Amino acid sequence: MNEIRVPFLGDGIDKVIVCHWHHKPGDVIAQGEDLVEVEADKAIFNIPCEHNGRLTKILIAQGQGALIGQVIATVENT
Amino acid sequence: MKCSIVDLGLIDYQDAYRFQKETIQKVLEDTNSRLLICEHRAVFTMGRKADEKFLLVHPNDFVQQNISVVRVDRGGEITFHGPGQMVIYPIFDLNAIKDLRIFLWKLEEVVIDLLRYFGIVANRQKGYTGVWVGEKKIASVGIGVKKWISYHGIGLNVSTDLRFFSMIKPCGLDVVMTSMAQELGQVVDPAKVKEKLIEIMASEFKLEIIP
C-alpha cells in the first residue's frame, strides 16, 4: 500500500485545503497522473500519483484541511 | 531560465486557458518557460473554492451584457477580466524554486516594480495576495501549478473599465479596485507597459529571452 502525502510547497506553508479529487476510490491511476488539487495561499497545486495503482482510500475530503506531510490517500499497486 | 514571449493579443478566456494547458505540455517537453501576455473579452472567473454569493447581480444580467462566468482551477475567489486589463500568464518551470510563496512574492514584486517605473507607489497587503495602491487593489494574482510548471498568473488593471468590479465582490473582499489610468489621471500606452513588464520579469526571474 502506498501513501499519498501533501508535499513540501514552500517555506511558511504548513497546511493546504483539499479542493478537488480528480479520481474516486477504485479508479486505476497511472504514475504521474494528477490525483488531487490542493490550495495554499492563492495557488492551486496538483499532486500527482507517484505509483501505478488503484486508489483505495481518500482520507481527506474536498473542502477539508491537511498539513504538509500528512497522508491524504492510499494507493495499492496493481 | 530560458523563456519565450508569446503575445496572444485580445483572446477569449477559454481559448487562452486551452493555450495555457497546451503550453504546460511544451514546457514539460523542452523545459523552456513561456510568458504569455494577453487581454480578455469581458469575463468573470471563479477560483476552485470561490463562493457564488460574491456575484452581486443575477446571472441573467451577465447573459444580457454578453459576459460569461467561468469556474477555473486557480486559487482565489471571483475576479473580472476585460479589455484594458493586461493578463500575464507565466508558464514557468519552477523546479529550481519549488516554493509557491516565493513564486507568488516574485510575481507581486514584478508588478510593484513596474508600477514604480510608471510613478505609482504600490505595495502588498498583509494576509492578501495581489498588489495594492493604498487600500485599492490594482492587480490580482492567482496561480495553478502542475508538475512544478506554473499557469494562471496576474491581472493588472491598466485602463480597465472598473465599473465591472461593482458586479462582484472581488476576491471575496470589500475592496475598491483601481487602475493605472485612474491613479495617473491619464491613459497609459499598453505597449510601453508590456515592454517594461517583460524587462522587469526577465530581471526578477533571471530569464534569458529566446525567440
Side-chain angles (χ1 to χ4, degrees), chain B residues 8-140:
Chain B
L8 296 170
L10 181 64
I11 182 171
D12 277 341
Y13 183 86
Q14 300 278 41
D15 291 338
Y17 180 73
R18 275 189 288 276
F19 193 86
Q20 285 190 76
K21 287 293 168 105
E22 290 165 13
T23 306
I24 291 170
Q25 289 307 315
K26 288 181 186 166
V27 175
L28 282 169
E29 284 162 21
D30 65 16
T31 72
N32 291 332
S33 295
R34 270 81 165 176
L35 180 63
L36 315 183
I37 301 174
C38 62
E39 203 174 347
H40 293 310
R41 294 186 180 86
V43 61
F44 290 100
T45 63
M46 303 175 72
R48 272 284 189 223
K49 292 194 290 121
D51 196 324
E52 289 188 2
K53 72 182 179 195
F54 297 135
L55 280 170
L56 301 181
V57 297
H58 193 276
N60 284 348
D61 293 344
F62 294 121
V63 175
Q64 280 169 10
Q65 296 192 43
N66 206 20
I67 307 172
S68 50
V69 181
V70 182
R71 194 171 277 274
V72 292
D73 56 345
R74 62 158 171 75
E77 287 288 344
I78 188 166
T79 195
F80 171 76
H81 302 294
Q85 184 186 73
M86 186 172 291
V87 177
I88 303 134
Y89 295 130
I91 317 295
F92 283 4
D93 182 348
L94 303 183
N95 276 288
I97 304 176
K98 283 198 171 173
D99 189 313
L100 300 179
R101 201 165 273 185
I102 288 176
F103 181 59
L104 285 165
W105 191 91
K106 279 174 173 276
L107 291 180
E108 289 166 350
E109 195 68 7
V110 166
V111 178
I112 290 168
D113 286 353
L114 175 69
L115 292 170
R116 187 185 300 120
Y117 175 83
F118 285 94
I120 299 169
V121 178
N123 287 294
R124 296 177 184 81
Q125 283 225 357
K126 198 173 179 205
Y128 301 105
T129 52
V131 178
W132 306 70
V133 178
E135 296 298 310
K136 296 177 183 174
K137 193 172 189 181
I138 195 164
S140 299

